[in-house]
Amino acid sequence: AQKITQTQPGMFVQEKEAVTLDCTYDTSDPSYGLFWYKQPSSGEMIFLIYQGSYDQQNATEGRYSLNFQKARKSANLVISASQLGDSAMYFCAILGSEKLVFGKGTKLTVNP
Amino acid sequence: GAGVSQTPSNKVTEKGKYVELRCDPISGHTALYWYRQSLGQGPEFLIYFQGTGAADDSGLPNDRFFAVRPEGSVSTLKIQRTERGDSAVYLCASSLMASSGEQFFGPGTRLTVL
């Protein structure tokens, strides 16, 4: 079975600074995918970034990058140059057996 | 719009009643997923369809929950004899295929059982 652990219930960051949201995972599958989703107060889950377990390079998507450390089973999300609109819940998820298993999330607040 | 749509956006019902929640996936997506998100938690898997058949229903909490996708497009999640503990946001997602990875989520249906 897969498991995601997000140990930061809440994080604060100043506008324009970078922030790292932690995620560790557990799986026995040799091949898997890791995802980060953003959930604003409106409730919709917005896909941010994906990392495949066999990808040699860390994934990047604009201001989002994924710090993938396979040996440590961690997949931290780095948001650079934070904006006020980044304030939201952030969920890490692992794809196993075609279904996503999510962590409990981290609430990010960007201060002006 | 071209995204996943869900209706209704909100549903309030009384304990013991029957409810149906509808999901319309992105056109051409063969895989469809249902998740449930309780307050303060991440979404939890309920069931997924590849085409018309339920490929994995291991997340359905009990036999009061049932889902169908008769024509391989729209899906309906059905909850019988609702209980207060069923109150949650029910999220639907779709992907091109089950193994293609990225799942696109709808806005969810907030179910409140009084």
Side-chain angles (χ1 to χ4, degrees):
Chain A
Q2 289 81 20
K3 184 179 179 181
I4 293 285
T5 302
Q6 294 181 257
T7 57
Q8 306 154 316
M11 288 285 286
F12 294 87
V13 65
Q14 286 297 122
E15 193 178 7
K16 300 180 185 177
E17 292 186 351
V19 63
T20 297
L21 306 183
D22 294 342
C23 171
T24 57
Y25 61 91
D26 193 18
T27 182
S28 55
D29 292 344
S31 177
Y32 50 89
L34 294 156
F35 296 79
W36 278 92
Y37 282 85
K38 172 184 178 181
Q39 189 176 44
S41 56
S42 60
E44 192 161 353
M45 298 288 285
I46 302 168
F47 166 76
L48 295 178
I49 196 167
Y50 165 80
Q51 179 84 42
S53 58
Y54 290 116
D55 292 343
Q56 295 297 315
Q57 293 190 327
N58 286 344
T60 61
E61 287 285 348
R63 294 187 298 111
Y64 304 107
S65 60
L66 201 152
N67 183 3
F68 181 47
Q69 297 186 48
K70 195 170 182 178
R72 294 186 176 185
K73 294 192 174 181
S74 76
N76 298 339
L77 176 70
V78 181
I79 306 174
S80 62
S82 296
Q83 302 172 356
L84 295 178
D86 293 335
S87 293
M89 286 292 295
Y90 289 80
F91 291 95
C92 180
I94 186 168
L95 185 69
S97 303
E98 283 78 45
K99 60 195 178 197
L100 288 171
V101 174
F102 288 86
K104 291 190 174 184
T106 295
K107 183 175 182 179
L108 178 66
T109 302
V110 181
N111 294 319
Chain B
V4 178
S5 62
Q6 293 185 246
T7 54
S9 54
N10 280 283
K11 177 70 177 179
V12 180
T13 191
E14 293 180 343
K15 180 175 177 294
K17 299 288 190 182
Y18 168 82
V19 296
E20 289 189 352
L21 312 179
R22 175 189 167 109
C23 172
D24 203 337
I26 292 172
S27 178
H29 280 193
T30 63
L32 184 148
Y33 310 80
W34 284 99
Y35 294 86
R36 179 168 72 173
Q37 187 175 21
S38 301
L39 197 62
Q41 303 293 318
E44 292 179 317
F45 170 78
L46 294 176
I47 185 172
Y48 96 87
F49 293 86
Q50 180 61 54
T52 60
D56 184 346
D57 64 357
S58 61
L60 295 178
N62 51 59
D63 60 6
R64 296 186 297 105
F65 288 75
F66 190 71
V68 295
R69 195 186 185 200
E71 298 178 356
S73 178
V74 171
S75 176
T76 305
L77 179 66
K78 308 180 181 194
I79 310 174
Q80 298 177 323
R81 304 183 304 279
T82 51
E83 299 177 357
R84 292 194 180 88
D86 299 335
S87 297
V89 175
Y90 289 81
L91 294 165
C92 177
S94 71
S95 65
L96 202 58
M97 294 181 298
S99 56
S100 64
E102 182 185 346
Q103 297 177 15
F104 297 83
F105 282 80
T109 293
R110 182 175 297 276
L111 175 66
T112 303
V113 182
L114 301 177

